[in-house]
Amino acid sequence: MTSLVWFKRDLRVEDHAPLHAAASRGPVIALYIVEPSLWARPDYSGRQYAFLLDCLSELAQSLEGLGIPLTIRTGEAVEVMAQLHDTHPFTHIDAHEETGVTATWERDRAVAGWARSRGIAFNEHRQHGVIRSLRSRNGWAQRWDRFMAQPVLPAPGPLRGPSLTREDPPAPAVLGLLPDPCPSRQTGGRQAALDDLASFLESRGHGYRRAMSSPVTAFDACSRASAHLAFGTLSLRETAQRAVRARDQYRFAGNNTYARSLDSFIARLHWHCHFIQKFEDETALEYQEMHPAWHNARPEGDASNIQAWINGETGFPFLDACMRALNATGWLNFRMRAMAAAFSSYHLWQDWREPAKRLAARFTDYEPGIHFPQFQMQSGTTGINTPRIYNPVKQSHDQDPEGVFIRRWIPELSGLPVTALHAPWLASPADLERAKVRLGDTYPLPVVDHAAAARKARARMSAIRASAGFRDTARAINARHGSRKSGMKQTGQHPRPARRNTPDPRQGSLDFGGA
């Protein structure tokens, strides 16, 4: 009785229920499929593929240490499995449930149908706090806690399975992936994941609670676990349990600052699943507004503005620094992700779909189940969250008061005094001349008047939110997707302001990437 373990975004051997289930039956085939149709999508990118290759290399070593190879095949899932079954028949397919884009839902359904036609049992196992076929959000948080408290599964004992021909993953160009330089990209793989988590829990995370809001401090103070969770080199359960143990140790030792920081981190692990649960329940959020009143409310978008935004060439130094840092590293902290999304939606008044795809491709830690609901949240299209328009100049003063981050990523402005750095269009001609800055030449003028654009966006939003039936629909959306634990004020109610320098939990974090 041979079982096929289908690895997707769960690239580890520890805390891996499908691998354990298959090993208990007998011989195991470990399969990873490189699917060209997925990598052709605009939200997938070369930096993500490079991270994947790191993960596959280490997964192959781990499986070889357990006694079986990692079989890598390129093609569409049903086609690959059918060919493999013809040469090495299997009776079971074990895989983790995946909450992904619509294409992965359709692929999983196709695999299930093919398996039924061949008399093969297709077993999907729960991977984290997201619950398939959830009827109500009531009690969801308690179920999350129970699942995360279950024992972490160790790697299974020695495995056995058939000997299969080894195939290497295709080169990026074969998949149609364009060159995607990301010189400071995180390293993928299980060991890098463990190292990143350990350094966060042991030292880097001490000031996390305050430091995660500013990109000046967040790159070091945040866990950087998001990419490892997205690709599954860490399980959420082991991450939560390690964080809880460390938090309790710090609290026992009287280090309340570190304990409170880890409380904040643990809360964000809840939010990770909270947002993916929205996507699990309504995958159409990838391409359809949560609240129908927003349908066709914004134009499809000015291609030149979207390009300037993604390249970090909007003329707003702090925003541009964030986008350039993202382009070079594949990561950005949560508050700046929210600001970037909001700027495209409010100041540029762009339809959210194209910017969401473009931004997803920049994130090494792209998690569709968080990215699309969060982008809609930051764009105002959910109808249940208080819209938030970030002032890019105020954020610059608040989060980078000395201009450290701007000077690093916008070197053409480095000669400006800090008084002119946040809004160079207001700088004196003398300051611009001394710094050799020629606005519109060496650095762009602002693509919009941000204050006027924000006023116009608020007026447009108010009209939409005042439309007939808006609140009734919003209440129905909140009943389906709203948190039962967070204390969020929904359907247009005004939340209490967060304390200065303390991140607002209502804003969540795009791709969990702030954590």
Side-chain angles (χ1 to χ4, degrees):
M1 185 181 293
T2 300
S3 299
L4 175 75
V5 175
W6 179 17
F7 286 88
K8 292 185 280 185
R9 292 194 293 134
D10 50 356
L11 304 178
R12 61 184 186 274
V13 296
E14 295 82 359
D15 207 23
H16 201 288
L19 189 60
H20 267 263
S24 70
R25 298 190 203 101
V28 176
I29 297 172
L31 174 68
Y32 184 84
I33 305 172
V34 179
E35 301 167 82
S37 62
L38 287 183
W39 290 104
R41 291 173 52 94
D43 47 333
Y44 282 49
S45 63
R47 63 188 59 195
Q48 297 161 6
Y49 189 65
F51 191 93
L52 168 68
L53 295 182
D54 291 345
C55 299
L56 291 178
S57 176
E58 195 164 335
L59 176 62
Q61 294 175 22
S62 297
L63 288 167
E64 287 168 6
L66 296 175
I68 62 171
L70 173 63
T71 300
I72 299 175
R73 294 290 184 266
T74 301
E76 301 311 314
V78 169
E79 173 189 326
V80 167
M81 289 187 185
Q83 292 174 351
L84 195 56
H85 187 261
D86 288 343
T87 57
H88 296 83
F90 44 87
T91 58
H92 294 73
I93 300 172
D94 286 278
H96 274 120
E97 294 173 345
E98 179 181 4
T99 303
V101 294
T102 302
T104 64
W105 279 96
E106 293 172 348
R107 169 256 277 158
D108 287 353
R109 284 194 289 266
V111 168
W114 172 82
R116 281 194 302 272
S117 73
R118 296 293 186 96
I120 299 168
F122 183 28
N123 306 308
E124 292 186 283
H125 303 256
R126 184 177 169 190
Q127 179 165 204
H128 41 49
V130 176
I131 301 168
R132 183 145 292 179
S133 302
L134 182 67
R135 294 187 178 182
S136 169
R137 273 296 187 114
N138 294 333
W140 182 88
Q142 291 75 22
R143 294 170 73 177
W144 189 97
D145 290 337
R146 287 196 296 270
F147 183 83
M148 294 304 158
Q150 293 172 6
V152 171
L153 295 170
L159 304 175
R160 57 191 177 90
S163 178
L164 293 164
T165 304
R166 178 183 176 87
E167 292 184 12
D168 292 327
V174 173
L175 296 171
L177 290 169
L178 298 174
D180 186 16
C182 188
S184 300
R185 173 183 64 82
Q186 277 182 268
T187 301
R190 173 74 176 175
Q191 190 56 56
L194 294 173
D195 291 345
D196 285 345
L197 183 59
S199 64
F200 173 72
L201 296 177
E202 294 168 7
S203 58
R204 291 190 298 107
H206 184 268
Y208 167 78
R209 192 160 181 258
R210 291 183 177 275
M212 65 173 164
S213 288
S214 169
V216 177
T217 50
F219 278 79
D220 184 64
C222 288
S223 74
R224 309 303 301 274
S226 52
H228 303 304
L229 291 170
F231 284 82
T233 51
L234 284 175
S235 80
L236 197 77
R237 178 162 49 198
E238 68 177 321
T239 303
Q241 291 188 14
R242 288 172 187 245
V244 167
R245 284 197 299 270
R247 186 271 315 274
D248 291 348
Q249 289 169 359
Y250 287 123
R251 186 168 290 159
F252 180 77
N255 190 340
N256 291 324
T257 298
Y258 217 140
R260 285 192 295 269
S261 283
L262 294 186
D263 274 333
S264 295
F265 175 70
I266 294 164
R268 296 181 78 77
L269 296 179
H270 283 79
W271 276 96
H272 170 277
C273 296
H274 167 71
F275 276 95
I276 299 178
Q277 185 70 60
K278 294 174 187 277
F279 207 54
E280 172 75 26
D281 297 341
E282 192 174 356
T283 311
L285 296 180
E286 174 192 345
Y287 53 83
Q288 180 176 295
E289 292 87 358
M290 186 179 288
H291 197 299
W294 280 92
H295 183 60
N296 290 331
R298 293 181 173 115
E300 290 188 5
D302 182 318
S304 62
N305 274 352
I306 294 175
Q307 194 62 46
W309 169 76
I310 201 71
N311 287 347
E313 297 172 347
T314 66
F316 293 95
F318 185 60
L319 173 63
D320 289 345
C322 289
M323 300 305 277
R324 294 189 195 184
L326 171 61
N327 289 333
T329 67
W331 187 88
L332 193 63
N333 63 310
F334 84 95
R335 192 181 188 92
M336 301 304 96
R337 296 182 188 218
M339 179 186 71
F343 186 89
S344 74
S345 296
Y346 296 123
H347 292 92
L348 300 182
W349 202 249
Q350 302 283 336
D351 181 87
W352 61 275
R353 277 163 279 252
E354 180 63 21
K357 289 183 286 189
R358 297 289 293 275
L359 199 60
R362 299 295 85 198
F363 292 143
T364 304
D365 58 7
Y366 171 43
E367 172 61 73
I370 302 174
H371 181 75
F372 289 107
Q374 262 287 332
F375 207 102
Q376 288 214 38
M377 178 176 169
Q378 304 302 341
S379 298
T381 58
T382 67
I384 64 173
N385 303 105
T386 302
R388 187 171 189 178
I389 300 178
Y390 290 79
N391 181 325
V393 179
K394 182 179 186 301
Q395 288 298 310
S396 185
H397 284 285
D398 289 350
Q399 306 301 335
D400 188 24
E402 301 304 317
V404 174
F405 189 72
I406 293 173
R407 293 183 198 282
R408 178 180 177 186
W409 292 105
I410 316 290
E412 59 267 40
L413 297 181
S414 60
L416 286 174
V418 70
T419 53
L421 197 57
H422 303 287
W425 60 91
L426 300 178
S428 69
D431 281 342
L432 292 173
E433 184 176 358
R434 279 192 294 269
K436 296 182 172 58
V437 174
R438 297 184 303 279
L439 295 178
D441 181 10
T442 61
Y443 184 72
L445 286 160
V447 293
V448 293
D449 178 327
H450 72 90
R455 286 194 298 271
K456 191 173 183 179
R458 288 190 185 95
R460 288 166 160 172
M461 280 192 299
S462 295
I464 291 171
R465 293 170 73 84
S467 60
F470 186 94
R471 283 184 174 270
D472 289 341
T473 302
R475 290 188 185 97
I477 293 169
N478 189 39
R480 182 176 187 183
H481 293 299
S483 170
R484 302 296 191 269
K485 187 176 181 179
S486 67
M488 288 195 300
K489 297 293 186 182
Q490 307 279 20
T491 60
Q493 299 179 57
H494 296 289
R496 289 178 298 175
R499 288 183 300 172
R500 181 176 175 84
N501 295 327
T502 301
D504 183 351
R506 289 177 296 270
Q507 297 303 317
S509 63
L510 283 168
D511 297 333
F512 181 67

